[in-house]
Amino acid sequence: MHAPGNGPVFAVYYSALAAFGVPANALTIVILAQGRCGLAKCITRYLVFMAVADLLVIITAVILSRLRAIYFPVSFLSTIPACKLIILLSWASKDTSVWLTVAFTFDRFIAICCHRRKLRYCTEKNAAAVIGAVCAAGCLKNVPSYFIYVPVYIVDNVPWFCTINQMYYSSIAWRVYDWLHRMLNPCVPFLLIFLLNVLTIRYILKANEARKRLRAQSNGDRQNDTEMENRRKSIILLMAISGSFLLLRLTYVVNFLFVQLTSNNYASGSNSADPKFILQESGYMLELLGSCTNSCIYAGTQTKFRR
């Protein structure tokens, strides 16, 4: 909900993001969908739909929004109906991607820390239900954003370009919506993923200590070694995805807190000398980068994925 940067640096950055993000996510979908990466079916389903959501983020938020504004500033996509639809779809895609990451992290938390519930919760059928609910909620949550924007000007009865209605900043209802909107993405997911990772790491450290004692008593059973290795691979994948999410959303969260605590508005222009714009655009740039990193994580942590 801001004016994206349109200088040469932004053009190069977003072009590179699209050039890498589209094929990387498409290839990830194809590879994971084959089910030959040695991952559980519920994990595979989460990762496939996370890649689909990331691909949609690249298409809507990068190509149709930022690159379109840079290279084709005046087109039918610049009219109010198309502009508002693109914004709605980009936010829905980002919300879905973020909450699928939360759902995946929670699934792995249950699998690692709650063995009694693992057999009932960590199933392909349950994963499909969670994914469907997240996708539906992501779309419904962003329907009000379609009504936030008004045209910059009207030519021959055709409304052109989107700008935020000033009522958005003065209306209590819209302020509450903005607060909830930003809390649900990425503030609450940020805190949930951080908390789940802390609890998971705490459990793993305790379990490893207990396992070392058992292995010492049994003179190093090979089965224990295999179980430790499988657990280690699952943990590396989880921590890499979650850690990447936390790091790349940190600037966005800082910008949200700055606006809320100082009663400032979000930067509406594209002045590269304005500290507010720099902070805000940096947050968005890093957030969008998160739609490309998972493919690199899979390639770096999963041997069968690389093959």
Side-chain angles (χ1 to χ4, degrees):
M1 299 178 183
H2 72 300
N6 54 9
V9 173
F10 297 109
V12 172
Y13 178 82
Y14 289 125
S15 296
L17 210 58
F20 176 78
V22 171
N25 282 301
L27 188 60
T28 298
I29 294 168
V30 172
I31 293 174
L32 291 175
Q34 295 176 12
R36 295 188 295 176
C37 292
L39 299 170
K41 290 184 178 180
C42 63
I43 296 178
T44 299
R45 181 153 294 205
Y46 277 118
L47 298 185
V48 167
F49 279 90
M50 285 164 62
V52 170
D54 286 340
L55 179 60
L56 291 175
V57 170
I58 296 295
I59 292 173
T60 56
V62 177
I63 297 176
L64 295 181
S65 180
R66 283 155 180 79
L67 290 180
R68 187 268 310 162
I70 293 170
Y71 294 110
F72 305 100
V74 181
S75 68
F76 76 95
L77 294 177
S78 303
T79 59
I80 272 287
C83 178
K84 293 199 291 186
L85 181 61
I86 290 171
I87 291 171
L88 190 155
L89 292 175
S90 65
W91 273 110
S93 301
K94 286 190 281 187
D95 282 350
T96 301
S97 175
V98 166
W99 280 98
L100 284 178
T101 304
V102 175
F104 169 74
T105 305
F106 182 73
D107 180 271
R108 292 300 85 201
F109 168 77
I110 294 295
I112 295 171
C113 305
C114 307
H115 296 289
R116 293 182 180 179
R117 295 190 178 122
K118 176 180 177 180
L119 295 178
R120 286 186 299 173
Y121 183 82
C122 301
T123 64
E124 187 178 13
K125 183 178 179 180
N126 195 65
V130 171
I131 291 167
V134 169
C135 293
C139 293
L140 292 174
K141 167 184 172 289
N142 289 282
V143 169
S145 66
Y146 187 86
F147 305 99
I148 292 171
Y149 295 88
V150 294
V152 176
Y153 50 81
I154 299 175
V155 179
D156 297 330
N157 293 324
V158 178
W160 288 91
F161 303 105
C162 289
T163 188
I164 298 176
N165 193 329
Q166 287 304 310
M167 234 173 85
Y168 186 73
Y169 297 111
S170 59
S171 168
I172 295 178
W174 280 120
R175 292 292 287 182
V176 170
Y177 173 77
D178 179 70
W179 188 83
L180 290 174
H181 182 81
R182 308 282 174 166
M183 288 298 293
L184 291 174
N185 181 13
C187 295
V188 171
F190 187 94
L191 294 174
L192 285 175
I193 290 176
F194 179 78
L195 177 61
L196 289 171
N197 280 340
V198 168
L199 294 175
T200 302
I201 292 172
R202 180 185 175 188
Y203 176 87
I204 290 168
L205 292 176
K206 289 184 177 180
N208 285 348
E209 290 179 2
R211 184 167 296 280
K212 285 179 181 178
R213 289 195 296 268
L214 289 173
R215 286 178 61 193
Q217 294 174 3
S218 60
N219 297 322
D221 195 321
R222 291 184 179 179
Q223 183 178 359
N224 289 340
D225 290 339
T226 302
E227 186 171 344
M228 289 278 284
E229 182 64 20
N230 291 336
R231 180 181 293 178
R232 186 184 68 83
K233 291 180 180 179
S234 178
I235 292 166
I236 289 174
L237 177 62
L238 170 64
M239 296 305 169
I241 293 175
S242 302
S244 171
F245 176 90
L246 294 174
L247 288 174
L248 294 176
R249 267 72 178 185
L250 180 59
T251 306
Y252 187 104
V253 172
V254 169
N255 182 60
F256 168 76
L257 294 176
F258 169 77
V259 171
Q260 298 302 317
L261 296 176
T262 61
S263 299
N264 278 289
N265 292 338
Y266 294 103
S268 58
S270 55
N271 181 9
S272 57
D274 182 5
K276 286 200 304 181
F277 172 77
I278 294 172
L279 177 63
Q280 179 172 286
E281 191 64 23
S282 297
Y284 279 102
M285 291 170 74
L286 291 173
E287 178 193 31
L288 293 174
L289 179 61
S291 298
C292 300
T293 55
N294 283 351
S295 300
C296 300
I297 290 171
Y298 304 151
T301 61
Q302 301 296 308
T303 303
K304 292 184 179 180
F305 183 91
R306 288 197 299 273
R307 291 175 182 173

